[in-house]
């Protein structure tokens, strides 16, 4: 058999890309979730699905940053939870009951993934392909996504087809008939999604499409963490707490918000955290009063300010959410300490209350009452029943594969992981004594709900005002880190 030079080049590229793929797999961290974990999650999903149903999950779309540059790809958390797959252009089908194909083979799941492509992999990285998904992920019924259009699944026979409502945010690559856009269109055609009533005004045909049930089921699964998930969450939270502690030692007047952000994120990377779980919030002074302040552009932070730092490392997909507020010069002023200690008291009481059977709403009410009484005592509001804007958010949320993770509604349960994050924010111009203006405090910790209480996961970063001041007196290894001056016009 004769090959052209071009064909031989493609074959060699493919062979070497496979070699380097195998080589790279030997030199990675060993604490990723296992194929057995993901299989267990698919089985747990299957147990919760209604009779004679199928659940369908799509990969996240690729997001364009600008021109021909895309954002770093981040997988849909549900699909990652169920498969461990971290590539785009994929669709997973999980069946409640065993199915039988035309040749008599039985299966209860099908996974369609993007194909191996040596030339594409040279530009954008290695792909598993269907064989890799079978070998590495343990999903034996894995196929190339190019097979999805022709794959024969009789969707009409199911009582329910569960999937999430589609968003209008997926780009179409007209040259690729197996990209995510095409997979979605092919699925819509297969299940009769979006078919309108005819022009005579007849009612739309009843269908078996369920766009709501899947969110409840996945919330019930993801809200209760397994041991493997808790191992990763503990690491993510510890990494985030270490970042807070290192910044406390390194903090000094004259720093920039971006510099503070950089120290946190350096610690994240040093520990092997792949990403930040959300855009880092680093607000000095009045900027801290903006709840989701992510510009982080303030320069020359002043000694009479505090800085609010809300950051979370994402470690192997699992995200922490830890906030500390500290004085730039290492010492809380009288007013800063009064507000800080009030927020700390509200948080501490709420944490002590956390246990199975208690709701996040009940914890939130307790924290709110403590803050309102404290604000009234300080003269910032008229009395404890006065409506005010100084505590505008809730107390808690689940964390996990999302920073605001899915979870079941109702009372707390063992092995949930939630935040506890009271705050007080008094922006300049508020209707109170100006001595309080510009003070913003949020203290946020991550706790694990245990059998009869809770465990503080983020305790490595000090929370008490006196402990913060003590740590800020310690030296930082970054004190000797200096760079050449940036020259040019200001």
């Amino acid at each position: 058999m004769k090959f052209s030079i071009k064909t031989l080049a493609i074959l060699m590229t493919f062979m070497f890309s496979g070699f380097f793929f195998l080589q790279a797999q030997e030199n990675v961290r060993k604490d990723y979730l296992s194929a057995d974990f993901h299989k267990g999650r698919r089985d747990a999903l299957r147990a919760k699905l209604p009779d004679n149903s199928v659940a369908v999950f799509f990969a996240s779309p690729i997001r364009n940053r600008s021109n021909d540059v895309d954002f770093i790809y981040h997988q849909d958390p549900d699909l990652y939870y169920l498969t461990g797959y971290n590539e785009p252009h994929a669709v997973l089908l999980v069946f409640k009951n065993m199915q039988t194909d035309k040749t008599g083979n039985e299966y209860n799941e099908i996974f369609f993934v993007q194909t191996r492509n040596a030339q594409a992999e040279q530009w954008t990285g290695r792909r598993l392909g269907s064989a890799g998904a079978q070998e590495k992920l343990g999903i034996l019924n894995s196929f190339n996504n190019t097979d999805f259009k022709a794959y024969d699944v009789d969707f009409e026979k199911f009582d329910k087809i569960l999937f999430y409502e589609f968003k209008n945010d997926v780009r179409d690559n007209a040259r690729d008939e197996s990209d995510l856009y095409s997979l979605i269109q092919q699925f819509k055609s297969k299940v009769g999604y979006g078919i309108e009533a005819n022009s005579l005004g007849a009612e739309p045909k009843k269908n078996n499409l369920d766009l709501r049930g899947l969110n409840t089921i996945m919330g019930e699964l993801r809200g209760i963490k397994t041991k493997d998930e808790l191992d990763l969450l503990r690491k993510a939270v510890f990494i985030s707490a270490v970042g807070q502690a290192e910044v406390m030692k390194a903090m000094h007047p004259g720093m920039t918000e971006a510099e503070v952000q950089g120290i946190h994120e350096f610690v994240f990377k040093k520990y092997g955290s792949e990403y930040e779980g959300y855009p880092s919030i680093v607000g000095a002074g009045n900027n801290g009063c903006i709840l989701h302040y992510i510009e982080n552009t303030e320069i020359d932070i002043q000694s009479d300010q505090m800085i609010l730092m809300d950051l979370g490392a994402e470690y192997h997909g699992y995200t922490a959410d830890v906030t500390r507020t500290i004085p730039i010069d290492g010492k809380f002023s009288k007013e800063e300490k009064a507000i800080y200690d009030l927020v700390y008291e509200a948080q501490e009481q709420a944490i002590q209350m956390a246990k199975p059977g208690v709701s996040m709403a009940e914890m939130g009410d307790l924290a709110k009452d403590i803050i309102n009484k404290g604000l009234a005592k300080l003269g910032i509001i008229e009395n404890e029943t006065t409506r005010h804007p100084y505590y505008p958010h809730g107390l808690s949320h689940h964390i996990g594969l999302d920073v605001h993770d899915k979870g079941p509604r109702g009372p707390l349960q063992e092995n949930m992981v939630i935040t506890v994050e009271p705050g007080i924010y008094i922006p300049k111009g508020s209707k109170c004594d100006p001595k309080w203006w510009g003070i913003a405090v949020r203290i946020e910790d991550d706790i694990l709900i245990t059998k009869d209480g809770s465990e503080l996961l983020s305790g490595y970063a000090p929370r008490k005002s006196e402990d913060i001041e003590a740590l800020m007196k310690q030296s930082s290894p970054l004190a000797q880190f200096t760079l050449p001056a940036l020259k040019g016009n200001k």
Side-chain angles (χ1 to χ4, degrees), residues 291-489:
L291 300 183
H292 287 172
Y293 172 78
I294 60 174
E295 290 83 357
N296 305 340
T297 53
E298 186 79 14
I299 61 173
D300 194 19
I301 299 171
Q302 299 300 304
S303 61
D304 61 349
Q305 295 178 318
M306 289 195 297
I307 188 165
L308 187 157
M309 306 173 293
D310 184 341
L311 305 96
E314 180 181 308
Y315 188 82
H316 300 355
Y318 286 80
T319 296
D321 192 0
V322 180
T323 306
R324 292 292 183 266
T325 308
I326 65 175
I328 300 298
D329 62 1
K331 182 72 175 177
F332 289 98
S333 70
K334 179 181 177 181
E335 288 75 22
E336 290 169 350
K337 181 173 173 59
I339 297 297
Y340 187 94
D341 288 349
L342 175 56
V343 174
Y344 174 81
E345 180 186 359
Q347 189 201 36
E348 182 64 18
Q349 291 298 319
I351 291 175
Q352 294 302 317
M353 184 183 186
K355 63 180 180 179
V358 174
S359 71
M360 285 190 266
E362 291 172 323
M363 293 167 57
D365 288 342
L366 173 65
K368 183 178 180 180
D369 289 344
I370 292 172
I371 285 176
N372 287 347
K373 289 177 182 178
L375 290 175
K377 186 176 181 180
L378 293 171
I380 296 173
I381 60 176
E382 186 175 347
N383 58 64
E384 62 188 72
T385 63
T386 301
R387 293 176 61 88
H388 63 83
Y390 305 129
Y391 180 22
H393 58 75
L395 179 75
S396 299
H397 59 79
H398 294 270
I399 61 170
L401 286 167
D402 284 305
V403 65
H404 288 184
D405 206 30
K406 293 180 178 179
R409 297 180 179 181
L412 297 173
Q413 301 177 46
E414 184 178 1
N415 290 332
M416 285 182 172
V417 182
I418 65 170
T419 64
V420 184
E421 51 174 312
I424 296 174
Y425 316 86
I426 310 176
K428 293 178 180 178
S430 294
K431 295 179 181 180
C432 62
D433 191 317
K435 70 181 182 180
W436 304 109
W437 290 2
I439 293 179
V441 174
R442 180 162 65 250
I443 311 172
E444 181 176 17
D445 283 272
D446 302 334
I447 65 171
L448 167 65
I449 304 303
T450 60
K451 184 177 181 179
D452 54 7
S454 67
E455 176 189 348
L456 179 65
L457 302 179
S458 44
Y460 186 88
R463 293 190 299 135
K464 293 183 179 180
S465 55
E466 55 267 31
D467 292 340
I468 289 173
E469 290 177 340
L471 184 58
M472 293 186 73
K473 292 178 181 178
Q474 295 186 19
S475 61
S476 167
L478 295 172
Q480 304 302 318
F481 183 67
T482 59
L483 295 171
L486 188 63
K487 299 180 180 180
N489 295 329

Side-chain angles (χ1 to χ4, degrees), residues 158-193:
F158 296 107
D159 292 336
K160 283 192 176 183
I161 305 169
L162 296 92
F163 58 98
Y164 294 108
E165 179 63 281
F166 297 107
K167 308 296 183 184
N168 186 25
D169 62 351
V170 180
R171 287 190 173 192
D172 179 19
N173 181 354
R175 297 175 297 175
D176 186 354
E177 293 186 354
S178 59
D179 65 347
L180 180 62
Y181 182 90
S182 298
L183 293 176
I184 291 173
Q185 297 307 311
Q186 292 158 15
F187 172 75
K188 288 179 177 180
S189 177
K190 288 175 182 287
V191 302
Y193 174 93

Side-chain angles (χ1 to χ4, degrees), residues 77-234:
D78 281 339
L79 186 69
Y80 181 77
Y81 182 76
L82 296 169
T83 66
Y85 188 68
N86 246 331
E87 299 176 28
H89 309 307
V91 56
L92 171 72
L93 284 69
V94 178
F95 301 92
K96 172 70 173 185
N97 310 110
M98 277 291 182
Q99 308 296 306
T100 305
D101 64 20
K102 293 180 179 179
T103 61
N105 295 318
E106 291 188 330
Y107 60 94
N108 58 10
E109 56 195 20
I110 317 175
F111 195 25
F112 297 90
V113 302
Q114 67 175 352
T115 62
R116 296 295 307 275
N117 183 309
Q119 290 178 312
E121 291 179 53
Q122 184 178 15
W123 288 93
T124 58
R126 294 174 290 273
R127 300 179 179 183
L128 280 178
S130 59
Q134 293 170 14
E135 178 186 355
K136 301 295 182 182
L137 306 181
I139 305 177
L140 300 182
N141 286 290
S142 293
F143 303 92
N144 290 327
N145 56 11
T146 51
D147 298 325
F148 180 65
K149 184 177 182 179
Y151 201 93
D152 185 18
V153 176
D154 182 10
F155 284 104
E156 290 187 359
K157 72 177 184 180
F158 296 107
D159 292 336
K160 283 192 176 183
I161 305 169
L162 296 92
F163 58 98
Y164 294 108
E165 179 63 281
F166 297 107
K167 308 296 183 184
N168 186 25
D169 62 351
V170 180
R171 287 190 173 192
D172 179 19
N173 181 354
R175 297 175 297 175
D176 186 354
E177 293 186 354
S178 59
D179 65 347
L180 180 62
Y181 182 90
S182 298
L183 293 176
I184 291 173
Q185 297 307 311
Q186 292 158 15
F187 172 75
K188 288 179 177 180
S189 177
K190 288 175 182 287
V191 302
Y193 174 93
I195 296 177
E196 302 294 338
N198 61 40
S199 59
L200 297 178
E203 291 185 3
K205 178 182 177 182
K206 290 185 178 180
N207 59 51
N208 55 358
L209 309 184
D210 184 342
L211 284 70
R212 296 184 178 181
L214 198 55
N215 194 60
T216 299
I217 293 173
M218 293 307 298
E220 291 172 352
L221 288 175
R222 285 173 51 185
I224 310 299
K225 270 56 181 182
T226 68
K227 180 182 181 301
D228 292 335
E229 291 179 284
L230 290 175
D231 287 343
L232 295 182
L233 270 171
R234 287 180 185 278

